[in-house]
Structure formats: C-alpha cells, structure tokens
Amino acid sequence: MRRRDGLALAAAAATGVQVGAALVATRFVVHDIGPASLAFLRYAIAVLCLAPPLWMSARVRFAPRDLLAVMGLGVVQFGVLIVLLNLGLQSIASTRAALLFSTFPLMTMLIAASLGRERLSRMKVAGVVLTIGGVAAALGERLTTQSATGEWLGALLVLAAALCGAACSVLYRPYLARYPTLPVGAWAMLASVLFLAIPAGLEGLFTDLPPLDRAGWLAVLFIGLSSGVGYVLWLWALKNATPTRVTVFLSLSPITAALLGVSLLGEPFTFGVLVGLAGVVAGLWLATRMEPSPEEP
C-alpha cells in the first residue's frame, strides 16, 4: 500500500515538473501562434499519444452517463480552464497569474473536504500553505515590478481557472475507480480537442499554418507529447492517492519553470528562487506525509 502511494506521489511530482517544462516551451513559441491554436495542437498531439488506449476503450463498456461526465470534465479541465487562463493573462502579468494558479491544491483540499472525500488535517493545511508561500517567495521579486492597476478581473479569471482544475481533480476520482485510467484520459482529452477546435479555427489555424521554424515545431511537439504522458501520470496518481496529495505537486511547475529559465533562457538564479525552493520542498513534505489515522472516511 505504501509502495503504491509512493509511486502515485512520484507520478504527481513528474506531472508538476512536466507542467513547468511545458510552460517554458510555451513561452518559446507563444508569440508566433495563437493561444487557442497552441492549446489545440498541444492536446491534439497528446490525443495521438493516447490513441492506443482510446482504441482499447472500445472494449471497456462505459455507461453513457459516465462517458458524458468524463468528456465534460475533459472540456472543463482543458478547454474552459485554458480559455480562462488566456483571458486572465490579457490583464495580468504571467508571474502573478502563476502565483494565483498555485492556489490549485488549496482549492482541491477544500473541495475534497467539503464533499467528504478527504479529512482536512492541520498538517495538510500547513503543507499546502507553506508550498504556496514558497511559490510566492520565488515569484515575489518579479511580482513587485509589475503594475497592479486594473488587474482585478484578470485575477478573478485565473482563480476561476484554478477552481475548474481543482473541481475536476476531485470529480474524476469516482470514474477512475470504475474504469481503467488510460481510456478515461483519452476520452477526456479528445473532448477537449473538439472543444478547442472552435477557437483555434477562429484564429485561422486551419487556413494558414503558424509561422514557426523548426525549433518552434519541435517545441510544440514536446509540449504535446509531454502533455499526453503527463496527463496519464496525473490520472494514475489521482486514482491511487487523494486529490490534495496529488495536486500539491503542481507547485513544482513554477519552480521548474524558474530553474529551466536559468539554464535555457539565461535568467538569474535569485535569492527569492532559492527561498521558494526551500518552501516548496518543506510544504510538499508536510502535505504528503503518511498520517497515523486514515486520510479518507
């Protein structure tokens, strides 16, 4: 049991790192391609990675109601969430958006506790809060240089995006308990691709190819492939560990982005980043410790 829990947390950590790496790759190409078009290509490539499990899902009998629910969760997690993030980023700086989005695990913990899925322990609360504090320390130096005027709407949109992801992380669990992980992920991501095709078409993706060079297309390919693998790991972690213990590892994504920015983009490794790393590591240790009493009712 402990070994499976450890593997689930390792999968969650890998997903957190993947999200950060994909963020750096996205920064590399985001100025040459529309945000909806990039999101569509990202998840279209990911769906191709999940094509075998999608074919295998024909042998898995989904109840029609469950299949619609899984696809609806996919639309919210990948489609609506991405749209809200992109709209928010039109009004606020990406650094502040990353900090606001790091409330994802805290929202997950509160939703899971309100639905009776998890026990709200002091250690979990302290771990999540400390993790968010670590992210704030890593981003704080850059946040102080950004103007905060007129950003309330953008901040609310980013928080709404985090709420969408948190709710989906909790609501996925019953379907992951009934069906294999890979078919659930494939159907959810396929639904998001169909949804994202509409705004991507409005950006002209299907009439004119984006002006990307070879490095740009390789970055898009990396984003898509890593997203497909990362999503499977994410669902497997949700199936074998509680939502709070899984989503807290998303706090690794902005730290990963900062570290990759140092090595790949030549950004300075500041004292704030060092303090943030310490806070994130300590927060993860607290939030993911095995407690003597059961975590779930």
Side-chain angles (χ1 to χ4, degrees):
M1 182 66 181
R2 287 180 178 270
R3 182 173 180 273
R4 179 175 287 271
D5 184 80
L7 291 175
L9 297 185
T15 303
V17 172
Q18 178 271 322
V19 171
L23 176 61
V24 174
T26 299
R27 289 175 182 169
F28 183 71
V29 298
V30 71
H31 298 295
D32 299 320
I33 183 174
S37 299
L38 180 58
F40 173 83
L41 291 174
R42 173 178 185 166
Y43 296 124
I45 295 172
V47 165
L48 293 178
C49 296
L50 299 179
L54 185 60
W55 175 78
M56 290 172 57
S57 66
R59 306 176 184 178
V60 179
R61 290 189 175 183
F62 280 87
R65 185 175 180 179
D66 289 348
L67 182 58
L68 288 176
V70 167
M71 296 181 74
L73 289 172
V75 169
V76 173
Q77 183 173 8
F78 298 107
V80 175
L81 188 153
I82 293 297
V83 170
L84 290 173
L85 270 180
N86 290 341
L87 290 174
L89 287 170
Q90 292 179 356
S91 303
I92 64 175
S94 59
T95 49
R96 190 179 183 199
L99 175 59
L100 292 170
F101 197 73
S102 70
T103 59
F104 191 122
L106 184 60
M107 292 183 182
T108 302
M109 178 177 60
L110 295 175
I111 293 173
S114 65
L115 295 178
R117 304 284 179 85
E118 293 188 38
R119 185 170 62 85
L120 195 61
S121 67
R122 293 180 180 179
M123 188 173 294
K124 283 184 179 180
V125 174
V128 173
V129 172
L130 186 57
T131 300
I132 294 174
V135 174
L139 299 176
E141 295 171 321
R142 294 159 65 185
L143 289 174
T144 57
T145 64
Q146 302 292 334
S147 173
T149 58
E151 295 184 348
W152 282 106
L153 178 59
L156 290 175
L157 290 170
V158 173
L159 287 173
L163 181 61
C164 287
C168 288
S169 297
V170 176
L171 297 177
Y172 264 127
R173 197 120 193 250
Y175 305 104
L176 292 172
R178 299 174 199 169
Y179 306 104
T181 302
L182 292 179
V184 169
W187 279 110
M189 194 168 288
L190 177 61
S192 71
V193 170
L194 296 176
F195 174 82
L196 289 168
I198 299 174
L202 295 176
E203 290 180 351
L205 176 64
F206 305 117
T207 55
D208 297 307
L209 285 178
L212 298 175
D213 56 14
R214 181 179 179 182
W217 283 112
L218 287 176
V220 172
L221 183 62
F222 166 77
I223 295 169
L225 292 175
S226 65
S227 297
V229 175
Y231 187 50
V232 172
L233 291 175
W234 176 258
L235 289 180
W236 189 84
L238 285 174
K239 185 173 184 176
N240 294 279
T242 58
T244 297
R245 288 163 64 83
V246 173
T247 56
V248 73
F249 281 94
L250 282 181
S251 297
L252 288 174
S253 59
I255 301 299
T256 301
L259 294 176
L260 289 178
V262 171
S263 58
L264 299 179
L265 304 179
E267 297 177 352
F269 189 83
T270 64
F271 178 74
V273 172
L274 182 61
V275 173
L277 279 172
V280 168
V281 171
L284 292 175
W285 180 77
L286 279 177
T288 59
R289 283 189 65 188
M290 295 293 293
E291 300 178 5
S293 58
E295 288 192 16
E296 296 178 338

